[in-house]
Every structure is written in C-alpha cells, then in structure tokens.
C-alpha cells in the first residue's frame, strides 16, 4: 500500500492584508493538487478584492497592491465559497490537505466564510472530516531539539525543497506539499504506518503541547501575548469578527 507521503496530496495557502485572523482579509489563495511525487501539479488560483485597504506592509510581503486588487480581484463571497467547495471535494476524495501553519489559513478562511457567506468552514466537512498535514507542527515534533526558526523558507532549506516566488500563494502551497513529503521520508520509521486520520489526531496534541511551551516562554519573558492551543482551526470568535 502506498504511504500517504507518496500518494495524492492537496495543499492550500493564502496571502492576506495582515496577520490577524479575526480582522484581516484574503487577497489571494491557491490550491495545489499532486497525485504522486514528481507528477505535474494542478493549480487553482484566486485573486480577491478584499474591500478594505491593503497596508503597505502587506504589499511589501506579497507584492499585491490595493489598486491591482481593485482592478483585477474578484469579490470575496464567491471566492471563499469556491475555495471551501474545492477543499471539501479533495477531502471527500481522500486527499490529505497540506497547510503550513494551518490555524492561520484555515481560521482566516472560516472568518471570511462567516463574514461573506453567513457560513463556517466546519459545515463543509460534516460528511468527510478534514485530514490536515501541517509541516510546521510535524517538523517541530519530529525534530524538536533543532534550534532556529521554522518558517516555510527555513523548512525548505532544512529539507532541500526549492521555494520559488516566496509569498506567492501557489508557490508556497507547492513548497509546503514538497516539505511534507520530505518530512514523511525522513521520519518514515515513525510515520509510514500512520494513516492521515491518525496523523491528524496526533497533530492536535502535538500543536497543543507546542503552544503551551511557547506560552510558558512568553510568560518567562514578560510578554502578554496569548498562544492558542487549537489546531487546525481556532473556534473562538472575537468581538471584532
């Protein structure tokens, strides 16, 4: 039987107006599907006019200006519906979903669905539950004593994955997918007998432990920042949502 990291995977990524999942908006998104390592990926892309100002700091990251999005982006409501629909279809087909730092992208999509469709991401996965593979969570658990940052760029360097056009949603999704395959191969002795459902369940606990460790570090440093233990989707809504 083919191991999950040698089989079909779908990957999802967004570019946004900022880093607050409750108030920031999606400006571009991509879903990349690859049936097996080395096969040609299929890419779906979306460009969104968020209907709110795009800060210069965000544009400096992904290169998408407010003017460009106003002229070329689509309105969010149909886009977030199409994204959720595609993700649900891939899940129903048994394809695990690769999302780097899943609580950010999936929570942001959930808030956009609530904002523009009076819906939620959970509703799309009632019949076929999400099976998420998060390279950040997996790498932190499986190589926990390695020092240094664990951004997508750092993981690509660590696992020998090419990252072209960083902060392009499709490029980042493809790189995250390749990193997950590389993590699977490197730690095959610990992962190859796990199903995506089993690995998803393990990551819930891994992420919670990682979040508690980071929260303790913030406390020792005197930082008031709070770290959510929820993965892959943060359920709690703030008043700003």
């Amino acid at each position: 039987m083919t191991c999950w990291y040698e089989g079909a995977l779908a990957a999802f990524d967004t570019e946004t107006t900022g880093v607050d999942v409750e108030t920031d908006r999606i400006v571009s998104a991509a879903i990349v599907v690859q049936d097996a390592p080395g096969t040609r990926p299929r890419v779906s892309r979306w460009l969104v006019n968020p209907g709110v100002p795009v800060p210069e700091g965000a544009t400096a990251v992904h290169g998408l200006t407010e003017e460009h999005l106003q002229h070329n982006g689509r309105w969010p409501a149909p886009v977030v519906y199409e994204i959720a629909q595609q993700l649900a279809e891939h899940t129903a087909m048994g394809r695990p979903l690769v999302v780097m730092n899943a609580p950010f992208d999936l929570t942001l999509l959930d808030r956009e669905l609530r904002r523009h469709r009076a819906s939620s991401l959970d509703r799309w996965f009632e019949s076929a539950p999400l099976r998420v593979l998060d390279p950040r969570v997996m790498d932190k658990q499986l190589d926990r004593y390695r020092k240094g940052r664990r951004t997508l760029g750092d993981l690509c360097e660590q696992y020998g994955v090419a990252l072209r056009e960083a902060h392009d949603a499709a490029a980042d999704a493809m790189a995250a997918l390749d990193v997950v395959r590389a993590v699977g191969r490197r730690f095959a002795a610990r992962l190859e007998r796990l199903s995506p459902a089993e690995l998803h369940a393990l990551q819930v606990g891994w992420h919670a432990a990682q979040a508690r460790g980071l929260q303790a570090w913030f406390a020792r440093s005197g930082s008031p920042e709070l770290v959510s233990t929820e993965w892959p989707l943060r359920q709690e809504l703030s008043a700003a949502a």
Side-chain angles (χ1 to χ4, degrees):
M1 183 179 294
T2 303
C3 295
W4 59 263
Y5 52 82
E6 301 293 355
L9 298 174
F12 172 59
D13 189 70
T14 65
E15 297 300 328
T16 67
T17 59
V19 297
D20 188 331
V21 295
E22 303 292 355
T23 59
D24 280 307
R25 312 297 175 91
I26 294 172
V27 297
S28 71
I31 296 175
V32 175
V33 181
Q34 189 182 45
D35 293 326
T39 61
R40 186 179 182 87
R42 302 186 298 280
V43 182
S44 298
R45 301 172 184 265
W46 292 268
L47 194 65
V48 186
N49 177 359
V52 298
V54 179
E56 291 183 1
T59 296
V61 172
H62 49 60
L64 298 170
T65 66
E66 185 172 336
E67 181 180 10
H68 178 77
L69 293 169
Q70 287 175 349
H71 284 87
N72 299 284
R74 298 168 58 200
W75 288 113
V79 169
V80 295
Y81 180 93
E82 291 169 13
I83 292 171
Q85 183 179 48
Q86 276 207 30
L87 295 179
E89 288 173 355
H90 291 307
T91 297
M93 292 177 187
R95 297 186 182 114
L97 181 63
V98 176
V99 191
M100 172 72 185
N101 191 19
F104 178 79
D105 293 87
L106 295 183
T107 304
L108 189 63
L109 176 59
D110 175 79
R111 301 323 190 239
E112 290 279 56
L113 285 165
R114 294 173 186 268
R115 184 178 293 120
H116 297 290
R117 305 289 310 194
S119 181
S120 69
L121 192 59
D122 282 339
R123 295 180 187 177
W124 287 91
F125 301 98
E126 291 174 344
S127 59
L130 266 173
R131 300 290 182 246
V132 176
L133 304 173
D134 187 332
R136 185 171 181 270
V137 173
M138 294 168 65
D139 174 71
K140 286 185 73 173
Q141 174 67 24
L142 296 164
D143 196 1
R144 67 177 71 182
Y145 299 113
R146 188 181 79 247
K147 294 184 178 181
R149 303 188 311 164
R150 302 187 193 235
T151 65
L152 180 59
D154 297 321
L155 296 186
C156 286
E157 184 176 352
Q158 177 68 24
Y159 289 94
V161 169
L163 175 57
R164 302 177 180 88
E165 299 182 60
H167 299 296
D168 168 83
D172 286 357
M174 187 70 232
L177 190 153
D178 286 339
V179 168
V180 160
R181 293 199 191 279
V183 170
R185 295 187 192 106
R186 183 173 297 185
F187 297 99
R190 299 171 64 181
L191 298 177
E192 63 182 353
R193 296 185 181 181
L194 294 172
S195 69
E198 291 169 330
L199 189 51
H200 179 104
L202 285 171
Q203 288 172 97
V204 173
W206 293 350
H207 177 270
Q210 293 163 11
R212 288 192 293 268
L214 182 58
Q215 187 70 76
W217 185 86
F218 281 143
R220 291 194 299 271
S221 304
S223 170
E225 186 170 350
L226 297 177
V227 183
S228 172
T229 60
E230 292 181 291
W231 182 97
L233 176 65
R234 299 173 193 161
Q235 297 294 338
E236 185 176 351
L237 289 169
S238 73

